[in-house]
Amino acid sequence: MSDESTKPLRVSDADELDSVITSHDLVLVDCYTNGCALCQAIEPVVGNVARVTDATVVMVNPGDDISLVERYDIRSVPTLLLFEDGELVGRMADGFQGTEAVVQFVEGTKGE
């Protein structure tokens, strides 16, 4: 497993995000904002998810590209979005979740 797939990637805008989503089969997107305590708390969780699942994990601050807020209807952070083969297949916007819950989200949502 390459180091790239075991660490969350950071992207700054919709174009970068689209590039990652289209070039990987399974992508977990962590939408966060700076200064958000729950977002900081979930960062090591998504790092763990990157290590133990097949998902490519990407972190993006939708405040840096407001088009993402509207495109993905982001109403709170952290919001986790799961993409499979370029399609949005799941959303978790329940505040902080532990590693086990996020791994189940990633593995339970993807198609068999």
Side-chain angles (χ1 to χ4, degrees):
M1 185 178 282
S2 74
D3 189 47
E4 178 182 306
S5 66
T6 60
K7 283 186 175 174
L9 306 172
R10 289 185 183 267
V11 298
S12 60
D13 60 31
D15 290 341
E16 284 184 47
L17 183 60
D18 290 344
S19 176
V20 173
I21 290 169
T22 57
S23 61
H24 295 85
D25 295 337
L26 189 63
V27 179
L28 178 67
V29 179
D30 173 14
C31 299
Y32 72 94
T33 58
N34 294 328
C36 163
L38 291 177
C39 300
Q40 290 173 337
I42 208 166
E43 190 170 334
V45 170
V46 297
N48 291 337
V49 172
R51 284 188 286 281
V52 302
T53 70
D54 294 333
T56 298
V57 177
V58 183
M59 299 180 68
V60 64
N61 181 345
D64 292 340
D65 186 341
I66 296 299
S67 71
L68 293 169
V69 174
E70 190 169 311
R71 184 194 299 184
Y72 298 117
D73 193 31
I74 297 168
R75 300 285 174 230
S76 63
V77 288
T79 292
L80 303 179
L81 303 172
L82 187 66
F83 293 84
E84 186 173 16
D85 300 323
E87 296 294 317
L88 180 62
V89 296
R91 163 189 300 269
M92 180 182 274
D94 306 322
F96 177 81
Q97 298 291 314
T99 299
E100 187 174 317
V102 179
V103 167
Q104 286 179 343
F105 168 68
V106 169
E107 294 185 338
T109 306
K110 68 181 182 179
E112 301 306 328

